[in-house]
Amino acid sequence: MTAPLIPATATLLELELISLLAGLIKGLTGFGSALVMAPFFSLLLGPHISIALIILIHTFTSQQGASAWRGQIRWPPVLGLATLAVVFDILGTHVMAEAEADPDTLRRATGALVILLAALHTRGIRWRHNGGAVPTLLAGAICGTFMSMAGLGGPPAVYYFDGLVGNSTRLRAHLLAFFMILFIAITAALAMQGLLTLELCLLALLLVPAFYLGACLGELGFHRLHVDHFKYLIGALLAGSGLIALCA
């Protein structure tokens, strides 16, 4: 992959504003920022560069606020889910390449399933579990498969942790921890494949302050957000991601 030159001022400003909004969403909910960045970054920079850029920005900011949420985490389920998601993403990508599966059909099928998860979440239907081996293996397989099919590993993780922790503060904390591990692992994989360049890293660093500021503002908003509003915001983000995959 050839990294982009640092874009013109007008384009860079657009990227900064998108990063600010994406950070705000992440600060509020613990996930969803990539859903904001992906379509707009793709329009401005192309899909391949935008994916790597999103991963880098999240990796550079993955420790943000960790001192506040680190103590709320049940680490074994988080580590297990993230590891399994990466493994099944690799396996799923390989299987679908070998089978020459239609990517549009897979994306739409994933979108429909994500919309179903959004409906279950919004109606308060939870998958209650204790984070043991069987539920973590099942959820990790679904996360990784959804990632390989449509890049939507987040929604199954939301539903998994929602049934594990039971309140909005700990749900958000577990999502932040999960995506921290996931993005670091994916960044390491990209680096080992030689897909990260100095210019791409510099562009990511230029966008980090806007993303960081948005996340700080979002965190302030989260502490003022009613638990019911948080539930519906999560549901809206899940449904939005499913609709994008279904209709794109």
Side-chain angles (χ1 to χ4, degrees):
M1 178 178 62
T2 302
L5 297 172
I6 301 302
T9 302
T11 301
L12 184 60
L13 180 59
E14 290 180 277
L15 293 171
E16 298 279 5
L17 292 174
I18 295 163
S19 299
L20 179 68
L21 177 59
L24 180 66
I25 295 298
K26 182 189 177 186
L28 275 171
T29 67
F31 88 111
S33 48
L35 301 176
V36 175
M37 300 167 96
F40 297 109
F41 276 22
S42 293
L43 286 174
L44 295 170
L45 300 172
H48 297 297
I49 289 171
S50 69
I51 291 170
L53 187 60
I54 290 166
I55 291 167
L56 278 173
I57 291 170
H58 283 81
T59 299
F60 290 155
T61 58
S62 62
Q63 291 290 320
Q64 183 179 359
S67 59
W69 50 258
R70 191 181 293 123
Q72 304 176 45
I73 305 300
R74 286 182 57 183
W75 286 105
V78 172
L79 291 168
L81 188 69
T83 301
L84 288 164
V86 172
V87 170
F88 277 93
D89 177 35
I90 295 170
L91 290 174
T93 301
H94 177 72
V95 168
M96 285 182 285
E98 289 291 323
E100 298 182 350
D102 178 22
D104 290 334
T105 300
L106 293 175
R107 187 186 68 249
R108 293 188 181 104
T110 306
L113 291 172
V114 169
I115 292 172
L116 175 60
L117 290 179
L120 293 174
H121 170 84
T122 304
R123 292 186 63 83
I125 300 172
R126 303 288 185 266
W127 173 27
R128 299 296 183 190
H129 60 91
N130 62 0
V134 173
T136 303
L137 177 59
L138 179 59
I142 295 171
C143 277
T145 302
F146 277 27
M147 284 171 63
S148 63
M149 289 170 64
L152 289 176
V158 173
Y159 201 69
Y160 170 83
F161 288 122
D162 197 20
L164 175 68
V165 300
N167 69 67
S168 58
T169 301
R170 296 191 67 205
L171 170 60
R172 177 179 173 274
H174 279 73
L175 290 173
L176 288 169
F178 169 76
F179 285 111
M180 175 186 72
I181 296 168
L182 194 65
F183 280 117
I184 290 173
I186 296 173
T187 297
L190 291 176
M192 286 188 290
Q193 296 174 63
L195 298 178
L196 300 182
T197 66
L198 178 60
E199 285 188 317
L200 190 60
C201 291
L202 288 174
L203 179 55
L205 288 172
L206 286 174
L207 300 178
V208 160
F211 187 85
Y212 189 93
L213 174 60
C216 290
L217 295 174
E219 186 168 359
L220 291 174
F222 169 75
H223 292 301
R224 293 166 173 76
L225 198 63
H226 189 274
V227 63
D228 287 339
H229 295 160
F230 181 81
K231 179 182 75 173
Y232 288 118
L233 178 58
I234 291 286
L237 285 172
L238 291 175
S241 63
L243 285 171
I244 290 171
L246 192 62
C247 300

